[in-house]
Amino acid sequence: MRFISTRGRAPEVGFTDALLAGLAPDGGLYAPTTWPTIAAEDIAGFSGRPYPAVAADILGRFAGEEIKAEDLHRICARAYARFAHTATAPLVQLAPDRFLLELFHGPTLAFKDVAMQVLGGLFEHALKARRRGMTIVAATSGDTGGAAAAAFAGLTGVRLLVLFPEGRVSDVQRRFMTTTGASNVRCLAVAGDFDDCQAILKGLFADAAFVRDTELAAVNSINFARIAAQCVYFFTAAAALGAPARKTAFAVPTGNFGDAYAGWAAARMGLPIGRLIIATNANDIVARALAHGDYRRGPAIATQSPAMDIQAASNFERLHFEYAGRGALETAEAFATFSRTGGLTLTPALREALAELFVGVASSEAATAAAMRRTWETAGRLIDPHTAVAVAGADQLAAPPSSTPLVILATAHPAKFPEAVAAATGQVAHAPAATRLEGLQERYDRLPADAEAVKTYVRAWG
């Protein structure tokens, strides 16, 4: 399997090089030259198989011969051994033909663990084979940082730098990043919002000399290996509900569009998906783009679902590339325009094509709180505000056909956002004992929203 940049000005690379680079040198994102096809009988066979085995199967279709099958099975088995639920990503029924896909049973209680734990194993395997070390950087709106810290803490040959917007993540999210005690993990509180953190990350990668000197890599969802790992739970959930004999609809709370793109990728590989509901909070850039064709950045609005407080969804570039007929020149021009002006307009043909699978919907803070309360009252389940955005979004739309189950991605444990959950439901969400962080010492530094300041910090790290 080979990978190309969405902007068309970087050479093709193999899976390992795409993994270790994260971002392509021309500023684009990697996508496979051709998508693997998963046969109907294979999809049906995923039902009942252990989650690590399905993950190794799907990842292997992208890794090809670069990683041996037995190594992938070992990496996936070790990654998911840390999850509190034996199913890794269990389905919970809320109502007839409506389900929660619980993606928060990993060590930091968020869906990012599902991919990040595997990513840590893949990096360790690749770096050991190449006898080299790397500096990994992650920008986070809340959960990626903690998941990366848990996955990479203590790994040989890897040092991890996490950038997060100061004051714009929950206390629990911050402590998952800042309390590892690992000498190879550092965290920076950036004076700005997540989009500032993401812009800094891209600025680091735009400096070829800095990338070379620091052996820089990224583990945000710009890293295609993250997308490949996130595809897995779309397949396992749909197979458990009867795929490929019937379609499944998914409601996906989205900020950086990684999960939503992973759902599209699963469909592209052969999973019969009836509809992908792309649910946003007040930061509705993706919902507006899908509904009106106007992909335009505004100021990030602080909400009770902070991991989605994003106004520049990186993975939307991958989707644009695919729906523009894999037009790298068109995509490069579109996102150069977006970078320069803060907006781009989707063509009517592109909007029409996207509407065949996607529907975007934004929910207010009041609707999000009401979804938390309603889910508790009707189903006896506490959900976090990000999951509630997806529930509220699904409730605004006409129901899919009765033969099509709707799966709502539950992306974080309610205990990560106890204040919001308590305000909406009057209930206290308790974290599993193994993940409680009270009393642990935090360690992080503060910097302005400036790429040069971050470069100086990294160089001083040694």
Side-chain angles (χ1 to χ4, degrees), residues 373-384:
R373 181 172 61 253
R374 188 168 57 253
T375 303
W376 168 251
E377 291 173 350
T378 61
R381 307 292 299 192
L382 292 177
I383 58 173
D384 87 290

Side-chain angles (χ1 to χ4, degrees), residues 78-162:
R78 187 175 68 176
Y80 298 124
R82 297 188 66 186
F83 280 59
H85 199 289
T86 55
T88 303
L91 282 168
V92 174
Q93 189 163 16
L94 294 179
D97 286 321
R98 179 174 282 209
F99 300 83
L100 282 181
L101 179 59
E102 293 186 343
L103 301 173
F104 51 69
H105 292 286
T108 70
L109 306 181
F111 82 101
K112 304 294 179 75
D113 290 322
V114 181
M116 200 68 76
Q117 285 293 314
V118 171
L119 208 65
L122 290 172
F123 263 86
E124 187 175 44
H125 177 83
L127 293 175
K128 182 179 180 180
R130 297 191 177 193
R131 298 182 180 179
R132 57 182 281 202
M134 298 200 80
T135 300
I136 297 172
V137 62
T140 184
S141 55
D143 290 327
T144 294
F152 287 90
L155 292 188
T156 302
V158 175
R159 60 181 188 175
L160 172 70
L161 180 68
V162 178

Side-chain angles (χ1 to χ4, degrees), residues 144-324:
T144 294
F152 287 90
L155 292 188
T156 302
V158 175
R159 60 181 188 175
L160 172 70
L161 180 68
V162 178
L163 283 65
F164 67 93
E166 186 164 17
R168 289 178 178 251
V169 302
S170 78
D171 290 345
V172 177
Q173 287 176 315
R174 188 189 66 247
R175 286 196 292 267
F176 270 122
M177 296 181 246
T178 60
T179 61
T180 66
S183 61
N184 71 321
V185 175
R186 290 195 184 182
C187 299
L188 288 178
V190 173
D193 57 30
F194 171 74
D195 291 331
D196 293 317
C197 295
Q198 190 159 249
I200 289 171
L201 186 148
K202 290 186 175 181
L204 301 183
F205 281 94
D207 186 336
F210 181 77
V211 171
R212 182 185 64 248
D213 294 345
T214 59
E215 294 277 6
L216 202 66
V219 292
N220 281 62
S221 57
I222 60 173
N223 192 308
F224 186 82
R226 282 267 308 270
I227 300 298
Q230 288 172 249
C231 292
V232 177
Y233 44 75
F234 286 92
F235 280 99
T236 59
L241 295 172
R246 65 172 179 169
K247 293 183 177 181
T248 307
F250 291 89
V252 184
T254 197
N256 216 22
F257 206 70
D259 242 358
Y261 179 73
W264 175 88
R268 177 65 179 77
M269 288 188 280
L271 186 66
I273 294 179
R275 183 165 62 175
L276 280 172
I277 299 170
I278 308 305
T280 72
N281 58 22
N283 299 279
D284 61 348
I285 181 171
V286 175
R288 280 187 284 109
L290 293 171
H292 307 296
D294 184 32
Y295 185 73
R296 189 164 305 278
R297 182 170 52 220
I301 301 167
T303 73
Q304 63 190 313
S305 48
M308 299 163 62
D309 294 348
I310 296 170
Q311 286 283 356
S314 283
N315 281 285
F316 197 72
E317 179 171 335
R318 282 189 169 113
L319 196 70
H320 185 283
F321 171 73
E322 298 289 353
Y323 277 87

Side-chain angles (χ1 to χ4, degrees), residues 23-100:
L23 194 68
D26 62 356
L29 296 108
Y30 284 117
T33 53
T34 58
W35 285 93
T37 298
I38 300 181
E41 57 267 27
D42 291 338
I43 295 172
F46 290 155
S47 179
R49 286 185 72 189
Y51 191 92
V54 179
D57 182 316
I58 292 174
L59 285 166
R61 297 169 192 257
F62 293 104
E65 297 180 355
E66 291 193 28
I67 303 178
K68 295 178 181 178
E70 57 265 32
D71 289 328
L72 272 177
H73 279 274
R74 174 183 53 78
I75 289 167
C76 291
R78 187 175 68 176
Y80 298 124
R82 297 188 66 186
F83 280 59
H85 199 289
T86 55
T88 303
L91 282 168
V92 174
Q93 189 163 16
L94 294 179
D97 286 321
R98 179 174 282 209
F99 300 83
L100 282 181

